[in-house]
Amino acid sequence: MDALRPGDPARIGGHRLLGRLGAGGMGVVYLGRTEAGALAAIKVILPEYAGDEDFRTRFRREAEAARRVDSPWAVPVTGADTESETPWLATEFVPGPTLSEVVARCGPLPTRSVHVLGRLLSRALTAVHGAGLVHRDVKPGNVLLTADGPRLIDFGIARAAEATALTATGLVVGTPGFLPPEQATGAGAGAGPEGDVFSLGCLLAYAATGRPPFGSGAVDALLYRTVHDEPDLAGVDDPALRALLGECLAKDPAARPAAADLDTRIAEDVPGDGASADWLPEDVARMIAERSAAMLALPDIEATVSTSATTPAPAPARRRFLALAAGGAVALGAGTFAAVRLIGDEPDGRSGASPAGRRWVIGVHADLTGAQEAAGRAQERGVRLAVDRFNSRTDKPFTLAVKVLDDGGDPARSVRVAEEFARDRDVLAVIGPTGDAATGAALPAYDEAVLPLLTVSSLQISYPARVNAAFFQASPSYAALSMPIVNRLLLRPDVERLGVLIDRSGGQAAYQAGYATNLMTPSLTTGTTHPRVVPAGTTDLGPVIADLLGHRSDALFYAGDAAGGARAARALAATPFEGPSMAQHTVMRPEFLERAGETAEGWEFIAPFTDAGGVSGEPGVPGAADFAAAHRKRFGAAPAAWSAEAYDVTGLVAQEVAALVGSAAKGGAGPTGSPTATPSGGTSSGSTPSGGTPSAGTPSADGRPGRAALVAAIAASRYKGISRTYAFDEERQQLVGQDAHLYRAEGGRYRYLGPAPKPKS
């Protein structure tokens, strides 16, 4: 829990506020105490949304829905005022971890625990459905665990079973991976109580196995599997539980049992009054006990006082922080992330405060300890150098700092990282995440907070459209990269047929890159393809290579991982083949060169990242030489892959924030067109913020631009960086253009050949 900030109220609706449990783009959740001493989690809507009648209607509906549910296994509403100038909703405070947090930290639950969980949550859903409601978002993150049983929370998208949803037509409402098929197809407005039972089945399967029954990854693929594939229940060894899950997960809503029926069919005893947490494993019970023990610190919290807006905020090092969860808002304690740093980014380590004393934050959401650690570290360094550059300006209107959170490449941790950034109102924008799966998992939290998120290395062909459109894919997708691949391999006189080898060991990245290359070849050229897909784990690629050559393939493209790429290179070297061979950029790791040895020689790669060190000597690339020199000076090494791209997008964000701050100071609407020098060495044509509500873009008291206004400014920007010119299409906010870079394996290293050639027409 964070201390109250200057400007926070001292009391809300008869509650004395003790601290902040969390914050999102729409409001703040406080921990409060009534005059009688009861603790409550109080959701308070931000002023800029309180005046939005549609938003107020949704909030009113949430309060009404939650009030109608009467069950000991659903967190009750203890008070609300949806009509006041500052709308608020209070629920009973539950100091327990979420089911998603428990499974992420302690692993799957034993069979008895799953049975108890299922029986008590079925009772909660029976109460929900008995009140004429459908919850529509039953998922592990919406279940809190306590010693005497679970609690169902968050009725934010619940609705009356016969009501029309207040959402856009075709919007998928809920959480992919835990949606019933009827919601996954976009028919969410028609989902009934049977959908909640399906979601409960997904939740129980997750609790029993540690993974969602329809997998993870790309949202579109996840929704497809939910509609068409059978659930993965491997690891559910108890026959009765497996049979029950199978019925809950039936594709036909009519074939699923009712929530009330589940209560009678699950024979497991449930905890009684005053029970200990013996229904849970010891390590989970210990987590719950620690959370409850943390409550003992609350009487020592300093008395709440009403402070003026000019009172300085407490330094981050002095803020008290408790690991608590309440009403769906989770406060993450120290140690949750492997790397958490918030520092001033002057090269000499000083804070470098601006004359106005304003200091705001650029977040870095990265994999710093997982499979993509090298890319995550490179991006962090790029962000820091861009912030250095901005803070070195003598005329800077504010100072930037960098906050780094590590998700380890794990989607579950990625969600927690996103929630932590969303709660921090000093964070202007976030660069990251590093990988596709982590990005997909984090998007809902960033979108809800309307917090600009710019990724340079998540290349999935599509991500689901979000309500607030705060996500920018600042790198070409796998589909966009297929175009320079096809151009390089087939626009030559000696190639007529391209052999495409898709190695499923490379996951979705390999599948999407290979599929797009196969699809684009006849669209872009007169050539043909011969595609082959091999199962993950295939060790002998010799027969596949022979098949490709036997079908007269005179060029080869491999989509997969580094180990598979090395196998393909060795197998190809054992044949008389002399044509061009290329691999996906995901193969460009030291492992490929080490395993392939001499057979790696001559393989080429189309990559979405530049070699900033190599580019630095070329004329006409603004800022590249300075960037490379600064990188060597600060980090003692040349820039690595993805560093320049992170540097670029940080410069883009800094430029747009500075433009908004300058416009607000002048009372204008923003810059309108003439290129200006950017803080990171590129140029920007400026932008006119559009989209979002005017209130959401109103600057705060200290001049910080609203998040919605910054999202609109980034969407309208055009920025020339080191690696490419950045602009985003209006519909999906993906990078416009096909800029890519060409590399070749030579002499045991990857040599940069320059920008990938484009067709003349």
Side-chain angles (χ1 to χ4, degrees):
M1 181 175 69
D2 283 329
L4 294 174
R5 299 181 181 180
D8 279 340
R11 305 182 69 86
I12 286 285
H15 300 83
R16 173 192 164 210
L17 301 188
L18 304 176
R20 282 177 165 235
L21 291 170
M26 307 301 181
V28 180
V29 180
Y30 297 100
L31 178 63
R33 195 196 307 273
T34 66
E35 296 297 337
L39 294 173
I42 306 158
K43 180 189 295 186
V44 179
I45 300 306
L46 293 175
E48 53 260 41
Y49 293 101
D52 184 332
E53 189 53 41
D54 286 342
F55 184 87
R56 189 182 283 266
T57 299
R58 289 193 294 271
F59 186 64
R60 186 183 300 120
R61 186 183 65 181
E62 175 183 356
E64 292 171 352
R67 281 182 182 276
R68 290 161 64 180
V69 178
D70 182 15
S71 170
W73 314 116
V75 174
V77 171
T78 59
D81 188 346
T82 61
E83 308 306 322
S84 69
E85 184 178 351
T86 305
W88 58 273
L89 170 70
T91 63
E92 177 185 290
F93 178 76
V94 180
T98 63
L99 175 62
S100 56
E101 183 181 1
V102 165
V103 172
R105 294 190 180 186
C106 304
L109 299 180
T111 298
R112 184 194 174 220
S113 299
V114 178
H115 277 143
V116 172
L117 189 67
R119 189 169 193 184
L120 296 183
L121 288 178
S122 71
R123 294 180 182 178
L125 287 178
T126 299
V128 171
H129 300 160
L133 300 171
V134 184
H135 189 284
R136 297 203 301 168
D137 200 18
V138 178
K139 63 180 180 180
N142 279 342
V143 172
L144 301 175
L145 300 186
T146 72
D148 64 350
R151 300 291 190 276
L152 181 65
I153 63 173
D154 197 354
F155 292 82
I157 61 173
R159 63 169 179 85
E162 74 283 355
T164 300
L166 291 174
T167 54
T169 302
L171 178 66
V172 175
V173 178
T175 302
F178 298 90
L179 287 172
E182 56 268 29
Q183 279 181 256
T185 56
E194 303 87 355
D196 283 346
V197 172
F198 186 96
S199 298
L200 178 62
C202 293
L203 179 148
L204 296 177
Y206 171 85
T209 66
R211 63 184 185 279
F214 297 100
S216 58
V219 173
D220 51 353
L222 185 55
L223 297 178
Y224 180 90
R225 291 194 295 270
T226 300
V227 175
H228 299 285
D229 292 357
E230 292 303 311
D232 175 12
L233 299 179
V236 181
D237 299 324
D238 181 72
L241 178 59
R242 192 181 183 96
L244 189 67
L245 293 179
E247 291 184 43
C248 291
L249 297 173
K251 305 297 185 188
D252 180 4
R256 301 170 200 153
D261 294 336
L262 293 176
D263 182 18
T264 59
R265 291 183 54 180
I266 300 175
E268 191 63 58
D269 291 335
V270 299
D273 292 339
S276 65
D278 61 355
W279 69 284
L280 291 167
E282 182 178 346
D283 52 351
V284 178
R286 189 180 306 115
M287 281 182 66
I288 294 173
E290 290 171 352
R291 297 294 173 88
S292 298
M295 300 304 295
L296 297 176
L298 287 176
D300 298 327
I301 291 178
E302 298 83 353
T304 304
V305 295
S306 180
T307 58
S308 69
T310 58
T311 303
R318 298 180 61 191
R319 290 179 183 166
R320 303 183 62 188
F321 198 90
L322 298 177
L324 302 172
V330 180
L332 300 172
T336 301
F337 307 114
V340 181
R341 297 189 290 281
L342 177 58
I343 66 171
D345 275 271
E346 284 295 303
D348 61 4
R350 296 193 299 259
S351 65
S354 67
R358 296 177 292 193
R359 182 172 177 270
W360 302 324
V361 178
I362 299 291
V364 179
H365 181 160
D367 177 0
L368 301 178
T369 54
Q372 293 180 288
E373 176 182 358
R377 295 283 179 189
Q379 290 176 33
E380 177 194 349
R381 291 179 172 186
V383 173
R384 291 191 179 281
L385 288 175
V387 168
D388 282 352
R389 181 83 176 213
F390 181 86
N391 287 343
S392 69
R393 290 174 47 177
T394 58
D395 62 340
K396 58 183 178 292
F398 51 85
T399 299
L400 290 176
V402 179
K403 179 176 181 177
V404 183
L405 296 180
D406 172 26
D407 65 22
D410 175 45
R413 278 177 66 179
S414 181
V415 173
R416 298 197 293 273
V417 166
E419 290 171 345
E420 167 67 8
F421 275 130
R423 285 192 293 268
D424 190 339
R425 295 301 298 172
D426 288 335
V427 175
L428 299 172
V430 175
I431 312 304
T434 311
D436 295 328
T439 298
L443 280 184
Y446 286 115
D447 185 72
E448 181 180 355
V450 203
L451 177 56
L453 178 70
L454 298 91
T455 181
V456 298
S457 56
S458 297
L459 313 183
Q460 196 166 285
I461 289 177
S462 65
Y463 290 93
R466 311 303 307 185
V467 174
N468 293 307
F471 173 57
F472 298 89
Q473 192 174 20
S475 188
S477 67
Y478 298 117
L481 287 174
S482 70
M483 299 179 190
I485 290 170
V486 172
N487 292 338
R488 178 69 174 177
L489 290 175
L490 282 150
L491 295 185
R492 49 203 304 166
D494 56 338
V495 174
E496 292 293 337
R497 175 168 293 186
L498 175 63
V500 179
L501 174 52
I502 303 173
D503 189 340
R504 294 308 294 265
S505 294
Q508 279 292 316
Y511 179 78
Q512 291 187 18
Y515 177 81
T517 299
N518 182 63
L519 183 67
M520 295 306 297
T521 295
S523 300
L524 298 176
T525 74
T526 58
T528 59
T529 61
H530 180 65
R532 282 293 305 270
V533 179
V534 298
T538 302
T539 56
D540 183 8
L541 294 181
V544 182
I545 295 294
D547 177 77
L548 292 173
L549 301 184
H551 284 80
R552 302 187 309 282
S553 298
D554 36 28
L556 176 68
F557 174 66
Y558 170 84
D561 59 9
R567 288 192 290 269
R570 291 197 303 271
L572 191 63
T575 73
F577 180 78
E578 296 182 353
S581 52
M582 178 175 285
Q584 188 179 11
H585 74 275
T586 53
V587 175
M588 285 182 61
R589 303 169 71 95
E591 183 182 2
F592 172 74
L593 298 176
E594 293 166 2
R595 294 193 179 192
E598 294 182 355
T599 65
E601 196 75 8
W603 276 71
E604 291 187 348
F605 309 86
I606 296 291
F609 48 78
T610 188
D611 177 358
V615 171
S616 62
E618 296 183 7
V621 183
D626 290 344
F627 167 73
H631 195 285
R632 289 185 175 91
K633 180 178 180 181
R634 180 161 184 182
F635 303 112
W642 304 114
S643 185
E645 287 72 23
Y647 177 83
D648 283 347
V649 295
T650 305
L652 185 159
V653 170
Q655 175 64 26
E656 295 305 325
V657 174
L660 288 172
V661 170
S663 176
K666 296 176 182 178
T672 57
S674 59
T676 57
T678 69
S680 63
T683 59
S684 171
S685 63
S687 60
T688 302
S690 60
T693 63
S695 59
T698 302
S700 63
D702 63 354
R704 180 183 62 236
R707 286 176 171 177
L710 182 55
V711 167
I714 294 171
S717 67
R718 183 175 179 83
Y719 181 90
K720 184 170 178 57
I722 295 171
S723 58
R724 58 176 51 86
T725 296
Y726 291 83
F728 302 98
D729 69 73
E730 295 181 1
E731 182 178 355
R732 300 193 66 85
Q733 298 188 175
Q734 292 177 318
L735 186 72
V736 174
Q738 303 171 18
D739 294 312
H741 301 273
L742 183 62
Y743 293 80
R744 180 183 295 136
E746 291 183 0
R749 66 182 184 89
Y750 297 111
R751 187 168 78 86
Y752 180 61
L753 302 182
K758 299 178 181 179
K760 296 180 180 180
S761 58

